[in-house]
Amino acid sequence: MRWRQQLCQLCLAVVAMVWLIQPVWAAPESTLERPLLTSQLLQERLRSPVASEGVQTLDLRGLVIDLRPENAAFRTEFYQGLQAQLQRPGAPLGLDLSNSLIQGSLEGGQLGLRAPLFGEALAPLFTPAGQAQLQRDRRRLFQLSRLSQSLLAGDRAAGDLQLSVFRGPLKLVQTRLTGAVNFSHTFFLGSVDAQGAEFVQAVHWAETRFTQPITFAGARFRQIADFGSSIFFDKANFNQIRFGGQTTFEGSEFQASGSFNRSQFNRPATFSRTTWQKAADFAQTRWQDQALFAKAQLNQTFFADAVFEKSAIFREAVINQPVNLRGASILDQIDFSDAEFAQAAMLNLPGLQFDPKQARILGNPGQISQVLSVPTLQGNQILLGNLVRNFRQLEQIGDANQVEYLTQKLRLRDLRQQLTSTNVNQAPPEGLTQIGFSAAQAEAIVQARAQHWFRSVSELLGREIIDLATYIKVQNQITAGAPLSLWSWGLAAFQWLGLSLLVLLSHYGSSFWLIFGVGLVAIATFGLLYWWVDRGRWWLREPILPTAAETIWMISSFTGLALTGVLAIFRTAEAPWLTLAFLSSIILPLPLMGLLVKPHDSPTMSYFVEDGSMRQFRLLIGRLPIMPRFPFFRDRYAPILWERRWGWLNYFDLSLNNFFRLGFNDIRLRDRQLPGWISTLVWYQWGLGILYIALLLWTLSRTIPGLNLFIYF
């Protein structure tokens, strides 16, 4: 029983303590209640402006301002009182409504000076840019008024159309506005600060001009937010905003940077026909509905880590500088159809997340893939594969091949860096210091890799071993990964050589005209060599030399074929001079060495024979460049004719046979009194032809749409 009495006493003590300290808890709550703005309090505040940031400001902070229709008398007094103070001559007054609760609609246009359509009475208030814009607005309003009068047969004077000029700063920090807000056709000469404001109903700031920096950071727009056709002369801060209703910035102009960082758009957001003269920051934004940027003019645009849950439309947009989509997520589709990309513009996509089964990246065929930028292969292989599947599903085969070409270029760069750069997992401290590391950094790298190898170069920054400046200086000279043995290094070198061949000569099977141009140059070169070794035997006692006409025809044909191939290479190759150098290193050394060897015999007829049994266009896939042994077949072959005016065509035909496996005559090597180096030359081209025809067929299989879809799906 005693413990029950003690428990009851304890409960009574707790209740008494709570009852005694209740006023202390209630006091802060009472201070949070906003006082109601009455007529008397309004007059007091109007008569006694306070200084705020060097500007005399009407202080209406922390109040409940009732502007509902049922309080019409006070609402009229409110607007008239503010008009009298804000519009009086002299230094402009600011208006501070921070932390207030405004019930009912706020008609901001009634607070500023009314600027008539004509006249220069308010011109001294504006900057030169503001005056020019005011004149443009007046001309546009005048034209609209004339149009409305002609259509409606009205008699309203053009002078009735006016603009509202708000001279001082406006503060709506942490203000809650329960009704509609209307500041349309307002010219703000001062700043606007609406940080953390809450707009419950629709907000209309259409065709508003902001000459000073504005900020709506942290604000909440629960209904429509209309900023259409507005102009922001200075910085516009819309960071961390939640747009609950439809958002419109259509036709607006941002002459300075505009930031929507970490904002959320719950309903469709329209930025169509907007003009951004500087940076547009949409990093970490979330778009739960459509994002419309059609016909917008974009400069530096950031969508890093943004999430597009519905479609994002950039149709007919003018993109002058890179668009950063690093780490963004596309859950529906993003459309760049008919967009105009400047030479410096690109879509920076590292870390982009999208599933080609559900999402799409759309753009003009042949254009969209040219502006995609992925700086490194590491960490982006899945992205590049998804891009290839995306374009294949859209039947944009050229774009899919271009992405694969980009992938292989990145792989080629990684291989080259792996072969030539210093491996931080293998290099001694002295080698690390030679490329730019300090002695302390080199020692830290050695100690760190003893515990765990570096998988990527960026881990040096992640483990805080080196600073950013050193990383930027040495990043192109170092690599990371498992140390290469001599055998592994040789395999990597062979892979680099083969991949270089595919990239330089065919864009990794994505450019038919490039590989065709390479073939034309090779055919022309070998055709000229065959003609010279067969018709130019100057070392004989009685030299055999071609006629002047034959020489002219041969040189002209060689020049025409080679020039056509070179033009095709220069039009399609990314590095045409490097492609020509690589091609020359393949086709020239051995023939030039052979020309230095003097033949051991002195025949008086051609080294080459032709099948004279028929003349037709032939496909010679399995044909070898030597005569058959069976006597009856040998009877078909006779030496090519020298005395015909068209005889020089045979040498190009032989080169065509060896390289393209096509020809009009079956021309081969004779089997008696044939110098070995001539046989070597022909067999060398025939071997190159095997590789070339395989590369050509592979390229055709990847570039012909119907065949491509049949093979890859």
Side-chain angles (χ1 to χ4, degrees), residues 593-634:
M593 291 173 59
L595 290 177
L596 300 177
V597 180
K598 183 178 178 180
H600 63 275
D601 65 327
S602 56
T604 58
M605 58 183 178
S606 175
Y607 296 127
F608 307 110
V609 295
E610 62 176 338
D611 183 359
S613 62
M614 62 182 70
R615 295 186 181 275
Q616 63 182 19
F617 189 73
R618 306 183 188 186
L619 180 63
L620 305 169
I621 293 294
R623 160 256 192 210
L624 295 177
I626 55 175
M627 294 173 60
R629 293 182 59 189
F630 192 62
F632 293 106
F633 286 105
R634 292 174 59 86

Side-chain angles (χ1 to χ4, degrees), residues 375-393:
T376 61
L377 184 63
Q378 187 175 11
N380 293 300
Q381 297 191 44
I382 295 178
L383 165 64
L384 292 167
N386 287 339
L387 289 173
V388 172
R389 285 190 289 272
N390 170 79
F391 291 123
R392 290 200 188 282
Q393 291 173 1

